[in-house]
Amino acid sequence: VDNEYNYRLQTDLPDTDFDPATVAALEELADFVEAGHSGDEIQGEIYETAKRRDVETGDLFGAGYRLFFDQPRGPRLGTFLGELDADFVVTRLRREG
């Protein structure tokens, strides 16, 4: 599906292999999205979560781009995720589908 960002959202979960710290950060981010936050709040939380989990910010964004676009880079991730169905985002961040 094409979108205003011109990145193709992956309908199936891409193959990924993240280190444990990144996995923990993605789980934490999933909880944050599940709690019902805006795209701007999610964007800020990506930075905060990376800091808390001692993950390079770029690595956490990169993990998000892999999960949602199967690309090494993408649009402003938090804003984009805020526009998607929250259940889909949470499921994808937890790598459950």
Side-chain angles (χ1 to χ4, degrees), residues 16-59:
T16 55
D17 183 23
F18 301 129
D19 63 65
T22 301
V23 168
L26 290 169
E27 295 286 337
E28 206 170 302
L29 206 53
D31 293 342
F32 187 82
V33 172
E34 196 170 41
H37 292 275
S38 72
D40 285 343
E41 290 169 326
I42 295 167
Q43 182 73 13
E45 186 63 16
I46 294 170
Y47 289 97
E48 295 303 314
T49 302
K51 229 184 295 184
R52 276 195 305 275
R53 292 288 175 177
D54 202 22
V55 172
E56 287 288 330
T57 307
D59 290 349

Side-chain angles (χ1 to χ4, degrees), residues 72-90:
R73 61 191 59 82
R76 192 165 189 264
L77 191 60
T79 306
F80 182 84
L81 297 183
E83 293 179 11
L84 297 176
D85 177 73
D87 290 339
F88 171 78
V89 173
V90 168

